[in-house]
Amino acid sequence: MTRALTIADLRALKGVRQILTMHVDSAAEAAAAAEAGIEMFTCEVDDQLPKIRAAAPAGFIQAAHMQGTIHDESSAIREGFRALELGASCIYFAGSLRLVEAMAKEGIPVSGHVGLVPRWSTWTNYRSVGKTPEEAAAVYRKVKDYEQAGAFAVEMEVVPVAIADWITRSTPLLTLGMGCGAVCDAQYLFSCDVLGTGASRMPRHGKRYADLASEEARMQRMRVEAFRAFAEDARSGGYPEMRHEVHVDEGILEAAKVLIS
């Protein structure tokens, strides 16, 4: 499509089909994902955001600020609008509900986060969240809190399938599922897992579709080999050759010397 996806477009897909979502780190990844049919992107609010927007002009971009950037109502509103001006479609925010509400009241679209929230994993460890009745009820209540605060969507990360399905059917919010089976409104993965470039262990819900890490290592070896060949060539006198140089007649040099004498 020729225009960027809107919240209205995404809401129209709830219960119809899943929205494809990818976390991207660069404009090149965004362009590739857009060409492949990925509709929603997540990224950081940094100098890559405008480039990602330019690379995926029709995509819906969910952008997250560095932790601590948004810390009160004033900074939430200021930084929220700044991210929209840089190209974001909405703000991803896993912090205080009062700050979600502050942005939502100003018309800034906000997406929350429940289940395993890596930023707050010190409280849960890296594990599935919602496997007990108490935890499942807590995830449900947090989604309802996001509803009340004015969010339009919520990421659900590593929540058991039955719980994620129950919540998705019980909320008007769009649910972005990562590690929740195929029951959420969006299916969400990180590009590093898909491309095989992640530095950490592949999560249970991840799936590698390419091995760019090996390809990048091969290319790095090629760089080293080429630079080493240049260095050895220059030291041995093999470079530069006559064909790499520009020469003039001896008379030009003598004439130049006369001009400065």
Side-chain angles (χ1 to χ4, degrees):
M1 62 193 297
T2 57
R3 62 171 175 81
L5 283 167
T6 66
I7 292 172
D9 296 326
L10 299 178
R11 282 175 168 166
L13 295 174
K14 187 176 176 70
V16 177
R17 67 165 177 83
Q18 281 199 309
I19 302 158
L20 299 178
T21 308
M22 185 72 59
H23 179 90
V24 296
D25 294 311
S26 68
E29 289 185 354
E35 186 173 344
I38 308 299
E39 300 153 302
M40 181 184 286
F41 304 87
T42 66
C43 65
E44 306 301 318
V45 179
D46 58 20
D47 60 353
Q48 288 296 312
L49 175 53
K51 299 173 185 177
I52 289 170
R53 166 52 71 200
F60 189 93
I61 299 176
Q62 177 177 269
H65 292 83
M66 184 181 296
Q67 194 165 358
T69 303
I70 292 176
H71 53 82
D72 59 14
E73 287 87 344
S74 177
S75 62
I77 294 168
R78 181 180 65 253
E79 291 298 325
F81 279 124
R82 186 176 74 87
L84 297 183
E85 291 171 358
L86 289 174
S89 305
C90 78
I91 309 306
Y92 161 81
F93 185 66
S96 168
L97 289 166
R98 68 185 175 86
L99 303 185
V100 173
E101 185 174 17
M103 287 187 280
K105 283 183 175 179
E106 295 298 323
I108 299 170
V110 184
S111 176
H113 194 162
V114 297
L116 170 60
V117 183
R119 288 183 175 184
W120 312 122
S121 60
T122 189
W123 299 102
T124 61
N125 286 329
Y126 282 88
R127 62 172 178 82
S128 177
V129 177
K131 296 175 73 173
T132 68
E134 293 77 15
E135 280 194 347
V139 175
Y140 177 94
R141 285 193 291 267
K142 187 62 179 288
V143 170
K144 290 298 177 180
D145 288 342
Y146 275 121
E147 279 185 33
Q148 293 300 312
F152 82 96
V154 62
E155 178 187 344
M156 284 202 287
E157 184 168 351
V158 199
V159 172
V161 174
I163 307 305
D165 187 34
W166 168 51
I167 294 173
T168 296
R169 295 174 186 274
S170 303
T171 180
L173 299 187
L174 293 168
T175 60
L176 316 179
M178 179 179 288
C180 300
V183 298
C184 293
D185 297 312
Q187 191 63 263
Y188 178 21
L189 279 180
F190 271 62
S191 61
C192 61
D193 294 332
V194 172
L195 299 175
T197 57
S200 58
R201 181 178 63 85
M202 176 75 76
R204 178 198 294 267
H205 57 267
K207 184 174 180 180
R208 188 174 71 184
Y209 292 83
D211 187 8
L212 290 195
S214 294
E215 184 66 14
E216 289 173 355
R218 184 185 69 82
M219 292 179 65
Q220 182 66 5
R221 290 193 298 272
M222 290 177 64
R223 291 186 186 98
V224 172
E225 290 169 3
F227 294 157
R228 182 177 290 122
F230 158 71
E232 292 173 354
D233 207 18
R235 292 189 188 108
S236 68
Y239 177 87
E241 302 170 38
M242 180 72 76
R243 61 193 176 92
H244 301 121
E245 301 170 339
V246 176
H247 295 271
V248 295
D249 293 335
E250 184 67 24
I252 298 294
L253 173 59
E254 295 305 320
K257 291 178 179 180
V258 170
L259 289 175
I260 63 171
S261 61

